[in-house]
C-alpha cells in the first residue's frame, strides 16, 4: 500500500475559520530562497504559487510539526495544535 493510500484513510475535522497554523508575513515567504516547507510537508499543505508566493491550507495537516521546525531561519510560522475535537483523526489498524 502506498503512503498516499494510507494517508487517505485518515479523517480531518476542519475548524472553520480557525486554522491552527498561520504564516506570519507572506512577504517573507516570497523572499525565501528555498521554500522548503513546500517540499517537506508530508501532507502537502504548503504550495508554491506562480508569483513566488507560498500558500497554506491546513486542512489535512498531520500535526507532525515539521514546518514549525524547518522555518526556524525565518520564524515565520505561528503553530499550535487544533482545538479539542478538531484536526487529524488517525485511523489505526
Ligand atoms: Fe505539514 Fe506537518 Fe506542518 Fe502539518 S505540521 S502543515 S503536516 S509539516
Amino acid at each position: 500500500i502506498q503512503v498516499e493510500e494510507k494517508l487517505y484513510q485518515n479523517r480531518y475535522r476542519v475548524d472553520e475559520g480557525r486554522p491552527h497554523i498561520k504564516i506570519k508575513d507572506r512577504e517573507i515567504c516570497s523572499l525565501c530562497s528555498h521554500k522548503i516547507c513546500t517540499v517537506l510537508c508530508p501532507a502537502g499543505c504548503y504550495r508554491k504559487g506562480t508569483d513566488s508566493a507560498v500558500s497554506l491550507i491546513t486542512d489535512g495537516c498531520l500535526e507532525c510539526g515539521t514546518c514549525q521546525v524547518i522555518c526556524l531561519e525565518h520564524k515565520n510560522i505561528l503553530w499550535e495544535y487544533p482545538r479539542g475535537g478538531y484536526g487529524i483523526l488517525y485511523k489505526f489498524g
Side-chain angles (χ1 to χ4, degrees), residues 20-58:
H20 66 287
I21 306 172
K22 292 177 185 161
I23 294 173
K24 287 188 203 168
D25 182 347
R26 293 190 177 274
E27 186 65 24
I28 290 175
C29 294
S30 296
L31 300 172
C32 176
S33 59
H34 47 70
K35 302 186 195 334
I36 198 70
C37 55
T38 64
V39 177
L40 293 184
C41 171
C45 295
Y46 295 85
R47 296 277 165 90
K48 274 189 218 173
T50 50
D51 54 354
S52 82
V54 173
S55 66
L56 166 63
I57 296 176
T58 58

Side-chain angles (χ1 to χ4, degrees), residues 3 7 11 13 16 21 33-35 42 44 61 63 68 71 78 89-90 92:
V3 171
L7 288 174
R11 295 291 170 257
R13 188 151 176 240
E16 208 61 60
I21 306 172
S33 59
H34 47 70
K35 302 186 195 334
C61 169
E63 298 168 25
Q68 186 182 29
C71 196
L78 288 171
L89 305 167
Y90 284 104
F92 296 101

